[in-house]
Amino acid sequence: MKTVRDYQPAEQTRKWYVRALYITISGNLLLVAIKAVVASLTGSAALYAETANSASDVVYSLLMVFGLWISQRPPDNSHPQGHSRFEPLVGLLVTFSMAFAGYQAASASISKLLAGGIAVEPGLPTLVLVITAVTKGAMYYTILQLSQKTQSPALHATAQDNLTDVMTSSAAFLGILGSYYVSPMLDPVAGLLVSAWIFKAVIGLVLENIKYITGGSADKDVVEQILHTTTSVPGVLKVHELVTEYVGPRLVVEMHVNVRGDLPLTEAHRINDEIVNKVLHNVQDVDRVYVHLEPENES
Ligand SMILES: [Zn+2]
Ligand SMILES: [Zn+2]
């Protein structure tokens, strides 16, 4: 008797994860290096803070590597259904990094606001902000594509974190130009707007990942798709119970299905397998399907 699920994560998916991790780590390391060099050349205090921000991105990328490595491991005796529930944990971890960036942006802006705004002369540190925005923009775009291919909440959170950095560095850049050429107050105002945007994104990501951890339900259209797929299998009379639950980033489906009561077991079993295979094949988010077959009048 088997007590561990027979399942291997797809090789292609594993490659996508590896690519996402390489992009994240090398991108963040590159930015730390550029910022550290320019910070030491110019002595810019703001840039030292930026270097710390990028260094914290490197730390979370390493935690991400570790977490995603675990989540991609095949089922074993310790986790007989697989390790996919580690994924949303990694996703939550990434939101901490985002929340920290949001907090930093807010507190820096508030102290500048209280000081009446400070005009900053554009220079080499300003150029670093542009480089950061462009690099993070490219990282956002590629990681977002990979997160859609892998359906990974952890990679989705990472993509959002990159977008956060695009916003903060663009706002800092525009803030510096605005503070120098228009009004010193533009810099802190831009910073506050960005931190508000970050906290909104953090709340969305936290809710998404908590749904995956706590067994949230599928969207209505996904339930509709499961029902439609099942009732289209020949021999199925009706579905009288359908329960969905996210277990990690993917769904577990439980159904009670009525078939004719006088079917031989081999035929009933064939119908059961056909339902399971069709739902797994047709509905993207589904990881497992359990079907309870019942004769026509049972409920
Ligand atoms: Zn069977
Ligand atoms: Zn029933």
Side-chain angles (χ1 to χ4, degrees), residues 155-227:
L155 292 186
H156 181 226
T158 308
Q160 292 296 313
D161 181 64
N162 288 324
L163 187 57
T164 301
D165 294 337
V166 173
M167 303 282 283
T168 48
S169 40
S170 309
F173 172 70
L174 294 176
I176 288 174
L177 292 189
S179 74
Y180 192 68
Y181 294 109
V182 187
S183 155
M185 298 305 274
L186 277 185
D187 185 25
V189 168
L192 280 179
L193 287 177
V194 165
S195 64
W197 181 87
I198 293 175
F199 283 119
K200 185 171 166 282
V202 165
I203 290 169
L205 285 171
V206 166
L207 291 179
E208 180 188 339
N209 283 286
I210 282 182
K211 176 178 91 174
Y212 295 140
I213 291 174
T214 59
S217 61
D219 290 343
K220 277 208 174 64
D221 53 327
V222 174
V223 174
E224 204 48 53
Q225 215 183 340
I226 295 169
L227 191 61

Side-chain angles (χ1 to χ4, degrees), residues 63-92:
L63 288 171
M64 219 175 96
V65 172
F66 183 63
L68 292 182
W69 174 74
I70 294 177
S71 76
Q72 287 302 296
R73 288 175 60 76
D76 56 24
N77 281 321
S78 72
H79 294 81
Q81 291 285 14
H83 299 77
S84 66
R85 270 177 269 194
F86 281 90
E87 271 249 10
L89 277 183
V90 177
L92 278 182

Side-chain angles (χ1 to χ4, degrees), residues 240-241 255-258 292-294 298-299:
H240 68 263
E241 189 173 321
M255 279 188 287
H256 290 201
V257 176
N258 293 97
H292 178 62
L293 285 185
E294 296 175 50
E298 292 285 328
S299 59

Side-chain angles (χ1 to χ4, degrees), residues 8 10 18 26 30 57 66 68-69 73 82 97 103 156 171 181 183 194 211 222 235 275-276 280 297:
Q8 285 287 335
V18 170
S26 55
L30 179 75
D57 284 352
F66 183 63
L68 292 182
W69 174 74
R73 288 175 60 76
S97 157
Y103 164 76
H156 181 226
Y181 294 109
S183 155
V194 165
K211 176 178 91 174
V222 174
I275 295 171
V276 171
L280 286 176
N297 298 322

